[in-house]
Every structure is written in C-alpha cells, then in structure tokens.
Amino acid sequence: MARSGLFKFPVAIFLLNLTLLWRLIVHPHQPTTRRNYERSIEDEPFVGTEEDKHASTLFIMAITGPHQQHRRNVMRDTWLDYGDVARRYGAITHKFMIGTRNLNSTVLQMLHEEQALYNDLALMDGVEEHWKNLTGKLIESMAWSVTHVGPYDYLMKVDDDTFVRLDLLMPELVDTPDADVDQLYWGYFDGRARIIKRGKYAEPAWNVCDHYLPYALGGGYVISASLVHYVASQRFRLSRHNAEDASLGLWLGALNITRKHDVRFDTEWASRGCLNHHIVLHKVSPDSMLKKHQILKRTQGEEHCEEEWRRRPEYEYVWDVLPTDCCPGRRNS
C-alpha cells in the first residue's frame, strides 16, 4: 500500500499541472479594462463615423463649453475655415470638445441641433463640465480623439478664445524633422510657475516639487500623436491635478521628447500684445477674431494687427539650466 500511495502522488501532481496548463492556453486570464494599464489604446475599437475615418496631418482639439456656440461660430467663420490651407499642406480636422454629463434636456437639444448643422462637436457623455474637472476633460478628450478620429500626425489643443495662423503653422509641421515627428511638444513653455496653494484652483495633492514641471501654456500647443496615445493609454494611472496643462507637462516630464519653445505662441493667461509674427494667440474675443480675419484678407496674410503693440516682452526658454532659471526676464508667478 505504501508503494501504491507514493506512485499515485507524483501522477496526481503531473495531472494537476497538465490541467492548469490547458486552462491557461484555452482560457487565458484577461484583466479588466480599468486595471489593464498596459493595454494599448489602439486595442479599443474605432467608434467614429465613416466620415471621421480619414487620415489627417493635424487634429485640432478645441476645448469649449456647452453655452459657447457664438464663440464656436466665429471660429468656424474665421481660422477654422481652413480649406485652402489643408489643400496646400495636408488634411486638417477639428472637433469642439464638450462634456454632456448632467446637462439638462434643453441644453442637450441645443447641442444636438448644432451638431446636425456642423457635425464638429465631440459630445462626451462621461465628462462633466466643471472647473474641478478640467484635467479630466483634457485627458478624456485625448482618449476620445484616438477612438473617434481617423489617424492623425499631430494634435493641437486650443481654447475657444484662441486664434491660430494655420497658414503659417502647417508648413512648419509638414517640415518637422523625421526624428521629431513622434516626439514633438510645441508651445510657449514655463518652468518657473509656482504651485497654486490657495483659492479654488489650489493643488493640495501636488508634492512632486515646489514648482510645476516645464509645460506648454494652455492657450494652444501641439503634440505628436504618439504622445496623445501614451497619455490616453495610461489615463487610469496618471495623477490628475487642477491645472490641466501643467498636468500634461508632468505626464510627459520623464519622456525623451522634443520640447519646442516658440515666442510666436502668445498663449499665456493674458495676451502679451499684438505682434504680426504671432501664429497662436490666446484671449481673443469673437469681435477681435473677426477683425483679425478681415485684416489678414486685406493684407493677403501679411498682418493681423490693426497696429502692433506690446504689453510685456516674451522670453526665450533656456533648456540647459534648472527650470527655476529657465526664463530670463520673466517674473515669478
């Protein structure tokens, strides 16, 4: 009997291992979507329309609110009327990003009517419009672009009070060096911004350092599609702070990418003035957008300012020093 028991034990172990191996092959473990952090965003199905499947050089992601139709209409009538530029330099597409969670039926109806007219709204039912959710809206908008917009080379994030000289920006994008195509982060950078400690935008959970990491200011910036895919695929594990554009700088902080600081991006919290060499302008009212568009037409693209003026100087970013020494001439914020 002792010999029989000793013989049966290794056989049982062998059969158990064989059973486990069979189960792993036939029924491999699949982690849930939320916990499978390494799952590629490309694994998510494309859910956009057939019209949205076409490839483009630039996707413009315009952050806007549900009640800003007048601003959107002015953008459509001015710099987002980009047909000629797209024919010369490559396809462009745009969407206005709007969270619809908890909106009342009247506002939803208004948005659906606008969508029926223009088909350029990204209505995200899982995103709530709230100042506390600016970072959530940014990261979910990027994820939305991956699954609802055809393949693109670059994403440009703008606000609904941003004016862009696409006729000047697109030629530079097309001529981006091959080494930078997949790693471009282009805008007007700050590395000295102090953490907001008080008020509704305070950052109690920011403990990385005593300043925000270098980031492109939020009035407008361009990033490569590969960086959008990185952020979208990691969105469940990335920390979310109140300052959405500073959060993007944090998320990209450890990556070996090309950060391109450009003084032609007037994208701070308040305009530095009006200079004809600016190609991205923030804090532009609808009336000013219309006026700039008219001046550009009248001067055949040479000028957009009635007259040039400067409120404060720009600065060149110094990349080979610590961020607190990055920006000579800039006052600490």
Side-chain angles (χ1 to χ4, degrees):
M1 291 295 294
R3 286 174 177 248
S4 176
L6 288 172
F7 175 75
K8 288 180 180 178
F9 182 71
V11 171
I13 294 295
F14 172 77
L15 292 174
L16 177 61
N17 287 335
L18 191 64
T19 302
L20 291 173
L21 179 62
W22 177 83
R23 289 186 64 184
L24 284 172
I25 294 172
V26 178
H27 300 292
H29 173 63
Q30 294 292 338
T32 62
T33 299
R34 188 169 182 86
R35 294 199 176 275
N36 188 2
Y37 297 124
E38 305 306 324
R39 184 169 65 89
S40 172
I41 189 73
E42 284 83 359
D43 293 340
E44 298 186 16
F46 183 85
V47 293
T49 66
E50 286 298 318
E51 183 182 347
D52 291 328
K53 278 188 175 180
H54 67 272
S56 55
T57 301
L58 178 65
F59 170 60
I60 299 167
M61 186 178 79
I63 305 296
T64 186
H67 301 285
Q68 299 299 331
Q69 183 172 357
H70 176 57
R71 288 183 177 273
R72 295 190 287 273
N73 285 341
V74 172
M75 292 172 74
R76 293 176 180 120
D77 290 340
T78 56
W79 68 273
L80 285 180
D81 183 13
Y82 43 68
D84 290 341
V85 176
R87 280 187 287 273
R88 292 180 65 187
Y89 299 111
I92 305 171
T93 188
H94 74 272
K95 294 290 182 182
F96 291 101
M97 316 306 293
I98 302 174
T100 61
R101 185 179 181 184
N102 295 331
L103 292 184
N104 64 52
S105 58
T106 302
V107 176
L108 285 173
Q109 178 64 27
M110 175 188 71
L111 291 172
H112 286 300
E113 290 173 359
E114 183 180 354
Q115 180 76 319
L117 283 174
Y118 301 106
N119 192 32
D120 63 357
L121 303 183
L123 302 176
M124 301 178 290
D125 57 11
V127 175
E128 184 174 9
E129 291 286 344
H130 195 280
W131 64 266
K132 287 185 176 180
N133 194 39
L134 295 175
T135 301
K137 181 176 179 179
L138 176 68
I139 200 169
E140 293 303 327
S141 294
M142 288 185 174
W144 188 98
S145 77
V146 175
T147 56
H148 291 74
V149 179
Y152 54 82
D153 298 326
Y154 305 97
L155 177 147
M156 183 173 200
K157 182 263 184 182
V158 299
D159 293 336
D160 59 15
D161 58 353
T162 302
F163 186 90
V164 182
R165 293 287 309 273
L166 287 173
D167 57 321
L168 300 180
L169 183 130
M170 283 295 289
E172 294 195 31
L173 275 183
V174 172
D175 290 338
T176 299
D178 290 345
D180 294 337
V181 167
D182 291 329
Q183 58 183 26
L184 181 64
Y185 185 17
W186 180 16
Y188 192 78
F189 281 80
D190 191 2
R192 297 174 62 183
R194 291 188 175 140
I195 310 305
I196 300 172
K197 296 293 187 182
R198 285 183 255 179
K200 71 177 186 178
Y201 294 110
E203 300 277 14
W206 185 284
N207 56 10
V208 180
C209 61
D210 57 352
H211 288 72
Y212 293 112
L213 272 62
Y215 69 99
L217 297 173
Y221 51 77
V222 177
I223 63 173
S224 296
S226 62
L227 302 181
V228 177
H229 286 221
Y230 165 76
V231 169
S233 64
Q234 301 296 315
R235 65 191 184 277
F236 295 125
R237 65 162 41 164
L238 293 172
S239 56
R240 303 186 183 192
H241 300 279
N242 287 332
E244 71 275 26
D245 302 301
S247 292
L248 179 64
L250 173 64
W251 302 333
L252 302 180
L255 302 186
N256 182 21
I257 60 177
T258 300
R259 293 169 178 82
K260 180 179 176 181
H261 177 79
D262 197 329
V263 298
R264 298 172 301 165
F265 283 53
D266 181 20
T267 50
E268 296 179 76
W269 60 274
S271 173
R272 297 193 301 275
C274 189
L275 299 173
N276 286 316
H277 72 262
H278 287 161
I279 62 175
V280 183
L281 303 90
H282 192 210
K283 298 300 180 182
V284 182
S285 69
D287 287 344
S288 293
M289 275 194 199
L290 290 168
K291 191 170 291 185
K292 288 180 181 298
H293 188 64
Q294 292 164 1
I295 294 171
L296 283 168
K297 281 190 169 183
R298 188 176 71 239
T299 63
Q300 297 183 327
E302 293 295 320
E303 301 174 2
H304 62 81
C305 302
E306 279 193 299
E307 62 178 80
E308 291 190 308
W309 58 278
R310 188 193 302 269
R311 176 177 287 121
R312 63 186 182 279
E314 63 268 0
Y315 54 83
E316 293 290 350
Y317 198 104
V318 183
W319 291 107
D320 57 357
V321 299
L322 291 174
T324 49
D325 297 323
C326 69
C327 315
R330 181 197 179 282
R331 292 177 301 173
N332 279 328
S333 51

